Amino acid sequence: MSALRAVAVALGVAAVLVTATLYASDYAWAAAKEALRSTPAEHDREALAALDPAVRGYVDAVAARDLDALVTVFDPHATVDDTGRLFRGRAAIEDWARDEVVGGSVVVLHTTPAGAGPTVLLRFDPAGLMAPFRARYAFDVEHDVITRITLRYA
């Protein structure tokens, strides 16, 4: 095999591996889908108005970049399931929020009421170099505090 052909084969294999790695990443897949669709830059007013007060507190705390306010909307024993990564208790949730949530922004797109709490479709734009993406946040609320959030890419 000629050197030129060997380089072409190596580049082709590298391109396949990079593509497979990117598509294996949930975040990369969600970001790619988000880049292909138009998402409003402002909250859907009806969806925002329909939020449970604890969930609205979460959205408002993210908007205000207020870590303390964000943590207080959670039950002391709450759980955050962020695409399979679990954070239990306010201390762990505070670390997660400081590292991954506060500094970003959310746009509420749709709210679906449910028994334990709403499922909210939103657009999250994290701080830093990551691209915005859509996610579904399923909230469980008891006694005016969030007891669980399950986050999944939409």
Side-chain angles (χ1 to χ4, degrees):
M1 175 177 340
S2 73
L4 184 57
R5 183 175 174 136
V7 169
V9 169
L11 287 173
V13 169
V16 168
L17 290 174
V18 167
T19 301
T21 300
L22 286 175
Y23 281 102
S25 163
D26 286 343
Y27 167 74
W29 183 247
K33 286 186 350 186
E34 181 63 26
L36 296 175
R37 66 177 147 207
S38 174
T39 302
E42 295 183 10
H43 297 294
D44 177 280
R45 288 187 181 134
E46 289 180 24
L48 191 63
L51 292 178
D52 177 280
V55 176
R56 177 64 187 256
Y58 177 91
V59 170
D60 290 346
V62 173
R65 300 180 177 197
D66 187 338
L67 180 62
D68 293 333
L70 190 144
V71 172
T72 61
V73 299
F74 286 92
D75 179 83
H77 306 289
T79 300
V80 171
D81 175 348
D82 185 351
T83 62
R85 297 176 306 135
L86 297 178
F87 303 91
R88 291 187 173 97
R90 278 188 176 158
I93 292 169
E94 181 175 8
D95 291 343
W96 165 78
R98 180 185 308 105
D99 295 341
E100 301 186 32
V101 179
V102 173
S105 63
V106 295
V107 175
V108 175
L109 304 173
H110 184 76
T111 302
T112 304
T119 296
V120 179
L121 174 65
L122 55 82
R123 178 177 186 255
F124 182 65
D125 188 355
L129 300 176
M130 293 177 65
F133 55 88
R134 285 185 185 203
R136 281 189 174 71
Y137 284 32
F139 289 89
D140 290 352
V141 177
E142 293 179 23
H143 308 293
D144 300 322
V145 291
I146 298 168
T147 57
R148 182 177 183 90
I149 302 179
T150 304
L151 291 69
R152 297 294 183 259
Y153 295 112

